[in-house]
Amino acid sequence: MTDEMDRLIRADMSGDAARLADFEDAVWARIGERRERVRVGQVRVAAVALALAIGVTNGGLMLLGPQPEPSEMRIFTVSAGLSPLASLDVRG
C-alpha cells in the first residue's frame, strides 16, 4: 500500500483529483490499524507480566508453607540410595 500512496502523491493533481479523494481515509485506516496492533501488544505484555507475578508469588508462598513429614514409604524412592548402582556413582 505504501507504493500505491507514493504513486498517488506523485500523480498530477489537476487530472487525478478523483483518485486522491479516498487517500486521506486510507491513511487514517492504516493509522487505526497500527494503533490497534500497539494496543494488542500492550495487552500481551501486561498478561505475561501478570502471569509472571502470579507464578513468582505462588512459588514463594509454596516455599514458606509447611513441608510434609517424611513417610515410611521413602525407602522406595529413587533418592534413597538403595540402588545397586549407587555405589558406582552412576546416575540414571
Side-chain angles (χ1 to χ4, degrees), residues 58-78:
N58 189 28
L61 291 176
M62 291 296 287
L63 288 175
L64 295 176
Q67 300 296 323
E69 292 293 323
S71 101
E72 295 175 358
M73 300 300 286
R74 70 180 172 178
I75 61 169
F76 297 110
T77 64
V78 175

Side-chain angles (χ1 to χ4, degrees), residues 17-83:
R19 289 177 42 198
L20 293 175
D22 295 329
F23 186 69
E24 183 178 3
D25 293 334
V27 169
W28 284 113
R30 285 193 63 185
I31 290 171
E33 290 171 7
R34 284 190 179 202
R35 285 182 182 167
E36 186 62 29
R37 276 188 270 157
V38 168
R39 273 192 224 113
V40 169
Q42 289 173 344
V43 169
R44 285 182 185 161
V45 168
V48 168
L50 181 63
L52 181 63
I54 289 172
V56 167
T57 303
N58 189 28
L61 291 176
M62 291 296 287
L63 288 175
L64 295 176
Q67 300 296 323
E69 292 293 323
S71 101
E72 295 175 358
M73 300 300 286
R74 70 180 172 178
I75 61 169
F76 297 110
T77 64
V78 175
S79 62
L82 300 176
S83 167

